[in-house]
Amino acid sequence: MLENHSNITILKEIAELLNEATDMEKMLNGALTKFIEGTKFETGWIFFIDDKGRAELVTHINLPNALAQNKCGHLRKGGCWCVSRFRHKELKRASNIIECQRIEAALEENEDNAGITHHATVPLQIGNERFGLLNVASSHTVRFSDEDLALLESVAFQLGSAIKRIYLTKQQQEIALVQERNRLARDLHDSVNQLLFSVTLTARAGVEMTEQEELKETFKEIQSLTQEALNEMRALIWQLRPQGLESGLLDAIKNYAEMLGLHLQVTVAGVIQLPSRVEEAIFRVAQEALNNVRRHAGVKEARLTMNVTAKDIILQIEDKGRGFITTTSAIPSLGLQSIKDRVKVLDGKVKWDSELGKGTKITITLPY
């Protein structure tokens, strides 16, 4: 009876934490901490598993040294029975794991396992949506009771519901952000863009109407500066509201290059079927790279190469322009810093190679 009361209490405390949480990682870490502290389980870890079956260690609590060493290397790499069963949709409920390949591999290198040799696992899901696995273990425990597994399932159900809620909240935020970008893009197009266009026409008329050379040069300078500002404004509007993505990523990038006055040579290997967030990230990265070509390279041509594999996308944008001196300690432009930030969000990698007078090549690798 006391155990049932204790279980109800811990489920209530976890529910309160989940209801208030807005950050995914903090939520999972906090819930797992409460669960471990309030039950007989001593350690635990959570995997997220994507549509391609790739497992990502999201959080962990009280791991023994054998599993924690090398930044949880044995949990982050390799395969195991529970992940395999999850991938094949064979894991429906909380289960005892007879053998764990990750624990066995860890013990081969480090015997300091605090008595952890087996674990229980349960899928994190809500309805037909599956997110990953919750694994828990205790020292010198080979098999957990039906009551322990039932408690584990209750917590997994709570976590699955909370994960779904946060995903929905993020989707709503992204929709609101897109709507605000579209509104700002329309406002810029309807006001500032039209005003700059009018100034360009006025300056052109001034050149034709006056006979004084000094005034002609002044009007020409105004026309040139205004045209440059107009080009910058159009590029900004494109960045706020990607035009043409509905027609395909490559067409959108080509159209953007054309708008900048660049001739872009494109080579693609592999089939392009990307998640929307990855597609937009690639488009944004290409925008920044092409902006750098127009502003700094001093050339009107660039080359884009995209290689799509089963696991990642390798994107290269290259020009034969002025180039710059690369250093390991400093990023040479705000545009390159923006590219680095966007790629980092998606756990990708970016590097650039450049030499004065010989051009620049940016290489981006994105997992998907």
Side-chain angles (χ1 to χ4, degrees), residues 148-289:
D148 294 332
L149 297 180
L151 176 60
L152 191 58
E153 282 192 359
S154 297
V155 172
F157 176 79
Q158 288 182 312
L159 288 175
S161 299
I163 292 169
K164 175 65 174 178
R165 175 179 60 80
I166 289 183
Y167 276 150
L168 288 175
T169 300
K170 286 184 176 180
Q171 289 176 358
Q172 292 171 350
Q173 291 173 341
E174 290 174 358
I175 291 171
L177 179 60
V178 170
Q179 290 174 340
E180 180 60 19
R181 284 177 176 173
N182 289 342
R183 184 197 64 77
L184 182 56
R186 286 194 303 270
D187 290 347
L188 289 173
H189 180 272
D190 295 341
S191 56
V192 181
N193 194 58
Q194 294 300 323
L195 180 60
L196 289 172
F197 184 68
S198 298
V199 174
T200 302
L201 292 179
T202 301
R204 184 185 303 171
V207 172
E208 296 175 354
M209 291 175 62
T210 185
E211 299 296 331
Q212 300 181 36
E213 286 302 319
E214 290 186 0
L215 282 179
K216 277 184 179 292
E217 290 302 317
T218 300
F219 279 125
K220 287 180 180 179
E221 182 67 15
I222 293 173
Q223 185 180 356
S224 175
L225 291 174
T226 308
Q227 185 61 51
E228 183 67 19
L230 189 59
N231 291 339
E232 292 285 347
M233 182 59 63
R234 287 171 177 166
L236 176 59
I237 291 172
W238 265 80
Q239 290 176 12
L240 287 169
R241 182 175 58 189
Q243 300 177 23
L245 271 178
E246 66 278 359
S247 301
L249 175 62
L250 294 179
D251 283 343
I253 294 174
K254 290 178 183 178
N255 290 337
Y256 186 74
E258 184 178 346
M259 188 273 296
L260 293 178
L262 298 175
H263 174 69
L264 184 65
Q265 183 180 352
V266 176
T267 303
V268 177
V271 179
I272 302 178
Q273 285 185 315
L274 307 175
S276 58
R277 67 188 184 95
V278 176
E279 188 176 69
E280 181 171 352
I282 292 174
F283 179 73
R284 297 297 188 188
V285 165
Q287 278 185 317
E288 293 289 356

Side-chain angles (χ1 to χ4, degrees), residues 14 17-18 24 27-32 35 46 48 122-126 131 133-134 152-166:
I14 291 176
L17 182 149
L18 296 179
M24 183 75 77
M27 176 197 76
L28 294 174
N29 185 269
L32 184 56
F35 184 63
I46 292 176
F48 274 180
V122 63
L124 298 175
Q125 58 190 28
I126 184 73
F131 309 111
L133 292 171
L134 166 61
L152 191 58
E153 282 192 359
S154 297
V155 172
F157 176 79
Q158 288 182 312
L159 288 175
S161 299
I163 292 169
K164 175 65 174 178
R165 175 179 60 80
I166 289 183

Side-chain angles (χ1 to χ4, degrees), residues 6 8 14 63 66 78 81 94 98 105 134 139 154 244 257 266 367:
S6 176
I8 292 173
I14 291 176
L63 291 178
W81 183 89
I98 305 302
L134 166 61
S139 60
S154 297
V266 176

Side-chain angles (χ1 to χ4, degrees), residues 29-70:
N29 185 269
L32 184 56
T33 299
K34 278 189 174 295
F35 184 63
I36 296 300
E37 291 176 349
T39 65
K40 65 177 65 175
F41 299 106
E42 297 174 6
T43 184
W45 57 97
I46 292 176
F47 290 121
F48 274 180
I49 304 174
D50 63 19
D51 294 337
K52 295 181 180 295
R54 293 176 297 200
E56 174 193 3
L57 181 65
V58 182
T59 190
H60 55 82
I61 298 295
N62 296 341
L63 291 178
N65 290 334
L67 290 176
Q69 67 179 355
N70 299 325

Side-chain angles (χ1 to χ4, degrees), residues 340-359:
K340 184 178 179 180
D341 292 341
R342 289 186 186 279
V343 171
K344 184 178 180 181
V345 169
L346 294 178
D347 297 323
K349 299 178 182 179
V350 58
K351 71 173 184 176
W352 47 84
D353 301 295
S354 188
E355 187 176 346
L356 290 177
K358 295 187 178 181

Side-chain angles (χ1 to χ4, degrees), residues 96 143-151:
N96 285 293
R143 186 176 183 86
F144 294 97
S145 67
D146 291 342
E147 290 76 14
D148 294 332
L149 297 180
L151 176 60

